[in-house]
Structures are given as C-alpha cells and as structure tokens.
Amino acid sequence: MAGRFDPRPRPAPLTRTAVRGGRSAVPAGSGRPAGAGATARTWEPPGPLDLGLVLGPLRRGPADPTFRTTPDGSVWRATRTPAGPATLRVAVVASAGRVEAEAWGEGADWVLDRLPELLGAADDPTAFVPRHRLVHAGHRRHPGLRLTRTGLVLESLIPTVLEQKVTSDEAYRAWRRLVHRYGEPAPGPQDLRVMPTARTWALIPSWDWHTAGVDAKRSATIVRAARVAPRLEEAAAMEPGPAAARLEAVPGIGPWTSAETLQRSNGAPDAVTTGDLHLPRIVGYALAGERDTDDAGMLELLAPYAGQRHRATRLILLTGPTPPRRVPRMPRGDIGRL
C-alpha cells in the first residue's frame, strides 16, 4: 500500500488562492476511534486520498459549527440527512491503506452508506488530462484531490446563498450565527451543531436575518428554497444540466449559486463557477497572463477541459499565481449593527 497515502501532507500556505482552492488543513495522524455508541465502517480508497482537499470545500470558514478537524488527523462533520441528524468522523490510516469512519445519530447509517461517494468514489480523476504546464504541475502535486459528493442539496445551497455579493468573512459570520441560534446540538462526542431543518429556515423572522447580517434579497432566496426543499433535494440524483435548471427555477438562484452547490452535492466535475468576482481574473492570469479576463475569456481558456472544468479551476486555484490587485478590496460590512 506504500505510496497510496501521504501520511504527512504539506499544508498549503494560507493564501486566498489556497482558501479558494478548497483545502482545509488536516493534521497528520491516523485518527483514534471515539467509540461510545458509534457505528463504525471502513473503506479502502482506489488511490491517493487527501482528506483536506476532498472535504475542505464543505467547510464554511475556520469556525464552522458543522465542521472540525482534530489533532489526531480526524475530520468531523455534522449533517442533516433524510434519516435524521448525524455526526461523522473520518480518518485516513495510512499504514493500513484504508479510511476509518464512525457515525452517531439517526442518520448514522445513511452517512456511512454514502461514505465512498463523500470521499470521491464516484469521481474519475483519470478522465482529466492537463493541457497547460501550470495545471499539469498542480495535478502532479495534488494526487489526492477527488471531488466530494454529499448527496445533500440544501446544506450546500444555503451557505452558498449567504456568500452572494458579500465577503467571505460576512458570509461565514452569518452562517455561524444562524446555525448556532436555529440549529441543534449534533449527536456524538464533539461539540458541533446540525444546521436547521428546511421548515426552520423558512420561519426565521426578518429581524434575526438582519441581526445575522443577511439582507432581504438573500434571506428571501433562502426562504423560497426552503419551502421547496424536497424538490431541490431531488437534484442530487439528476445530471448536472437538469439539476442546475431545477435550482435556478428558484428566484435568486443563478448560475454562480447553482454551480457552487452542485460542485458539493453532486460532485459535478464540469460545474464551472461563472459570475465570480475573482475567478476569471485568476484563471486568465494563470493560463494566459491576462489580468482582466471576464467570464467569456475564462470559459474559452477552459475549453480544453470540457467535462472537467471545475477540477481544472481547483488545480489552478491551488497552484497558480494570483494577479496583482488593481482595485480596492470589497468593503466589509455588518448590517446587523445598523
């Protein structure tokens, strides 16, 4: 099994590129079973696996109440499944070439049954062929990158809507406040929170959205999505095109939001994010040395990666340089203080 896992992955520098590349730092270690009422499962991945790269996109900021890493090398995640709340602990045992997982709560069997897909078993990295030197370098440096598939739409959609047109810090703060106030304690030994039910999201009063720093447009979008949650969850089993159409039928959800959601819920390798403030410029600068690339230019540069454009952009974000800043940063705000 030698060489299949990197027991001491080199952490990426804490830059905007690394953060946007979706990597979460996971300490080196093999994880220690927590036991005490947990349901356990093991899985042997078919190739290299980097937990920080695979599960990192599910983390919404360093203080996400639904996600945690621990010094023993474990990744903990609280989630709301169709069977009920669940907490999942995942760790790579490099010496044995396997993944060990434990789960607590009513949804324990649900999350464990879908553990392989969560860790990228439905993803096919061999379908990706690098066409640029920088992308090839990123592909070589990150062999453990696989695209996660949670099978859950709302839990990815709501924090994505919160990220519309605001800074990451503002969105992460809103997510923390709302999950702490309206979520529930997660099962298991970690002090995590499970996000609110769809009904609870739909009933949050306007003043609490305001206190959390969420404007009326974003809160209304979340309420509309929560009211049709069962229909949106069906998109997790759909092909990317129809799934995006299903999400975008909700007013307030556009291509940016649907792509960011389906990258996580469906593991969609071609769900490229358009309408982003930074991504076109980063891709254009990395692949063509252009500082002012727009969406059309980005899609043209990514055309050789058709079918794998999301994977290509992640490798660029993890590896490529960022263009020099020529405009002021987006101002931070907190409407909850008004």
Side-chain angles (χ1 to χ4, degrees):
M1 308 301 291
R4 297 185 60 188
F5 297 98
D6 180 4
R8 296 183 180 274
R10 292 175 294 178
L14 296 179
T15 63
R16 177 178 296 275
T17 299
V19 170
R20 292 179 65 85
R23 184 169 200 166
S24 182
V26 177
S30 58
R32 297 180 180 178
T39 303
R41 198 79 55 91
T42 61
W43 179 63
E44 184 174 316
L49 182 67
D50 185 327
L51 282 183
L53 284 176
V54 177
L55 299 181
L58 304 181
R59 186 174 204 166
R60 305 294 181 155
D64 185 347
T66 70
F67 192 107
R68 182 171 300 165
T69 61
T70 49
D72 63 358
S74 297
V75 175
W76 296 76
R77 180 170 178 265
T79 184
R80 184 174 296 282
T81 77
T87 297
L88 175 69
R89 183 194 72 86
V90 183
V92 170
V93 182
S95 60
R98 69 173 183 267
V99 171
E100 293 185 346
E102 295 176 302
W104 294 258
E106 297 173 357
D109 288 333
W110 193 96
V111 294
L112 290 174
D113 289 344
R114 289 156 182 79
L115 177 68
E117 287 192 354
L118 181 71
L119 299 182
D123 183 33
D124 181 15
T126 63
F128 183 76
V129 180
R131 305 291 185 181
H132 298 81
R133 181 176 299 178
L134 181 142
V135 178
H136 178 75
H139 192 239
R140 185 180 66 253
R141 292 175 192 172
H142 303 289
L145 171 63
R146 302 182 75 91
L147 303 182
T148 186
R149 181 172 187 170
T150 66
L152 298 168
V153 173
L154 208 64
E155 74 167 21
S156 291
L157 175 63
I158 289 176
T160 299
V161 172
L162 292 175
E163 293 172 7
Q164 293 176 349
K165 307 296 184 181
V166 296
T167 65
S168 295
D169 287 346
E170 291 173 85
Y172 296 157
R173 182 171 62 241
W175 174 247
R176 289 196 304 270
R177 289 182 179 180
L178 293 168
V179 171
H180 276 298
R181 182 168 179 80
Y182 290 100
E184 62 188 80
Q190 286 289 324
D191 182 23
L192 296 174
R193 303 284 292 182
V194 178
M195 80 166 202
T197 65
R199 176 175 172 78
T200 301
W201 284 113
L203 294 177
I204 294 176
S206 60
W207 53 87
D208 275 350
W209 288 112
H210 183 86
T211 301
V214 183
D215 58 71
K217 183 176 180 180
R218 287 179 292 152
S219 63
T221 299
I222 291 173
V223 170
R224 284 191 291 264
R227 288 173 176 169
V228 294
R231 292 285 289 163
L232 296 184
E233 292 295 349
E234 293 173 1
M238 299 167 65
E239 291 297 316
R246 175 70 61 88
L247 268 60
E248 292 171 25
V250 177
I253 298 177
W256 183 89
T257 304
S258 66
E260 289 284 318
T261 301
L262 296 177
Q263 288 164 8
R264 297 165 173 83
S265 63
N266 292 38
D270 198 47
V272 61
T273 303
T274 57
D276 191 84
L277 180 62
H278 303 288
L279 185 60
R281 296 178 62 245
I282 294 173
V283 172
Y285 189 72
L287 298 186
E290 299 289 341
R291 298 184 179 185
D292 298 310
T293 305
D294 57 11
D295 277 340
M298 176 182 70
L299 294 175
E300 183 177 350
L301 289 170
L302 293 175
Y305 302 104
Q308 294 283 321
R309 292 177 297 176
H310 169 48
R311 190 190 309 276
T313 58
R314 282 203 65 190
L315 291 171
I316 291 168
L317 289 168
L318 288 164
T319 312
T322 57
R325 183 174 295 277
R326 299 171 65 180
V327 295
R329 293 180 181 272
M330 179 182 290
R332 297 181 181 180
D334 185 358
I335 66 172
R337 296 180 179 178
L338 300 178

